[in-house]
Amino acid sequence: MMHTLSDGVILFEKTGKVRYMNPAFANMFKEQEYIQDLEPPINQLLLQSIGKPFIQEKTEAQGRQIIIEGTSLDVQEQPHYLVKCIEESRYALDRDGLSVQPFRTEMISFTQLSETDPSLKKIIEYCKHEADASTFLLIGAPGTGKKSLAYAMHQHRHSYSHDIWRVTLKSSIHAQTLTQLEKLLSASKGTYYIKGWETLAASERDHLWEAASRASALIFFVSEQRPGADVPIFLKSVTLPPLKERIDHLEDYARLFISLSNVKYGKQVVGIGSRLLAYWKKQVWEHNLSELSDAIERAVANSTAVYLEKEDTVSVQRNGIEETIDLSRSLKEMELDIIMRVVKQENYNQSTAAKRLGINRSTLWRRLKEAEAE
């Protein structure tokens, strides 16, 4: 199946020796015996994936925006790495009240989610049991892990044989554009993470739900709260509780985020100090797990010890953006810091990030290119 995929797929050993690449990958980057011989920055990213359980990065190669997704696996009891290269422009769409973008999240499998939390363990077991179902209603406040759960479901069902997209709808969507989306859902076998569907008129929602009921794709209708209107009975409902209802398991979630930040910053942090843990358990965590993840990333970056302490942390964030800005840096550096935070929050969607920043997309693109060159 991977041989006929339009996205590039490569399988290689720990030594970098290529065991398999499909025609799409060979056309993208030329066939080589070792990943070290591939052109930069692809060779560098593939080398970085060695020894890691997963990788998800975005880069530019040959003037194209490429999304790199990969995971480790054992082949004949030897570590191998399977990586997929997706050309973003083939899927990105932003027009007439509809945005379709490649989906990105740091947590990409059930094994990365905390199974020590009874409430989440029950949800994971339900999702695995219903893995063959096509359509889900995914409910949860911002930052509760909806994207991670959706991606884990996608990986459990499709692995790398199909793609996953984030779809954002607006009430201003044109009827013809909505019809195109319905046809896409019916024709695809991938996964769709759909937000903004509540803004549609009742008749438009009915048409969308009817298309979803016939689809073989895995579809998530995502909402921050339980919809007031009736929803079809074929929708499998999953609700993720806020962090305040899982606060006794904060330390378990923290370990997951610490492991991610350790890889990013080259640290060896093993946990949270008792004083910081007690302090964090009293916090509100308005943005739930995403806020905890951001706090831990900053703490790991600042830490010089094996346990995180209160001194390593920064102020609680507002609207997902850290209030603390290092004023010792240049204005240009502070501007880039803010831009990158907004781009990350918008799931690397440059159109929506540009709107939040109050600049046009070409200006944002140019600023990001300048940052890469620095």
Side-chain angles (χ1 to χ4, degrees), residues 341-360:
R341 294 180 194 185
V342 173
V343 169
K344 181 179 178 181
Q345 284 184 20
E346 295 299 332
N347 203 39
Y348 298 88
N349 183 328
Q350 293 188 17
S351 295
T352 54
K355 290 176 184 178
R356 278 188 58 188
L357 292 164
I359 58 179
N360 60 47

Side-chain angles (χ1 to χ4, degrees), residues 116-357:
T116 59
D117 175 358
S119 62
L120 184 60
K121 185 176 181 180
K122 185 176 180 180
I123 289 171
I124 290 174
E125 289 174 350
Y126 174 78
C127 289
K128 288 181 177 179
H129 182 264
E130 299 291 342
D132 292 333
S134 294
T135 314
F136 290 81
L137 175 62
L138 188 52
I139 305 168
T144 48
K146 298 187 295 295
K147 291 193 297 182
S148 298
L149 184 64
Y151 206 109
M153 280 282 287
H154 168 76
Q155 284 291 87
H156 183 75
R157 178 166 168 173
H158 295 306
S159 186
Y160 289 99
S161 61
H162 295 289
D163 296 306
I164 177 170
W165 298 272
R166 173 174 172 164
V167 179
T168 305
L169 301 172
K170 297 180 181 178
S171 58
S172 58
I173 189 169
H174 292 183
Q176 185 176 3
T177 303
L178 186 59
T179 300
Q180 290 176 338
L181 174 60
E182 292 168 359
K183 291 180 179 178
L184 184 63
L185 296 180
S186 300
S188 171
K189 292 184 179 180
T191 300
Y192 295 87
Y193 183 90
I194 303 177
K195 298 186 68 176
W197 57 271
E198 305 102 321
T199 65
L200 301 178
S203 59
E204 293 174 327
R205 284 200 304 269
D206 290 342
H207 282 297
L208 187 58
W209 281 334
E210 184 180 351
S213 69
R214 300 192 305 267
S216 56
L218 178 59
I219 302 172
F220 295 94
F221 288 97
V222 184
S223 180
E224 293 184 0
Q225 55 189 358
R226 185 163 293 280
D230 292 336
V231 296
I233 59 174
F234 66 81
L235 282 176
K236 303 289 185 180
S237 180
V238 176
T239 301
L240 288 167
L243 181 55
K244 65 182 179 182
E245 295 180 13
R246 307 185 239 173
I247 204 68
D248 289 340
H249 301 278
L250 183 145
E251 190 172 11
D252 298 323
Y253 288 106
R255 289 194 189 99
L256 296 172
F257 298 134
I258 286 172
S259 66
L260 292 171
S261 294
N262 277 341
V263 172
K264 183 173 183 179
Y265 295 103
K267 299 293 184 72
Q268 294 182 336
V269 176
V270 298
I272 304 175
S274 57
R275 194 160 52 94
L276 177 58
L277 181 61
Y279 171 73
W280 271 353
K281 283 189 174 183
K282 296 177 182 178
Q283 300 307 300
V284 177
W285 299 111
E286 181 181 351
H287 298 282
N288 299 291
L289 293 175
S290 61
E291 186 176 349
L292 176 63
S293 174
D294 288 342
I296 286 176
E297 181 176 340
R298 177 56 62 92
V300 170
N302 293 339
S303 179
T304 57
V306 294
Y307 284 92
L308 300 179
E309 298 296 346
K310 193 173 179 181
E311 293 76 19
D312 299 320
T313 65
V314 295
S315 57
V316 175
Q317 295 140 18
R318 180 176 299 166
N319 296 327
I321 299 179
E322 296 157 347
E323 294 175 351
T324 300
I325 299 294
D326 185 357
L327 299 179
S328 66
R329 295 178 301 170
S330 68
L331 178 61
K332 188 175 183 180
E333 288 173 329
M334 290 188 288
E335 177 192 66
L336 178 60
D337 190 10
I338 294 171
I339 287 174
M340 292 308 299
R341 294 180 194 185
V342 173
V343 169
K344 181 179 178 181
Q345 284 184 20
E346 295 299 332
N347 203 39
Y348 298 88
N349 183 328
Q350 293 188 17
S351 295
T352 54
K355 290 176 184 178
R356 278 188 58 188
L357 292 164

Side-chain angles (χ1 to χ4, degrees), residues 61-73:
Q62 301 175 348
R64 298 174 293 182
Q65 294 296 318
I66 304 293
I67 295 174
I68 308 293
E69 296 179 347
T71 187
S72 62
L73 48 88

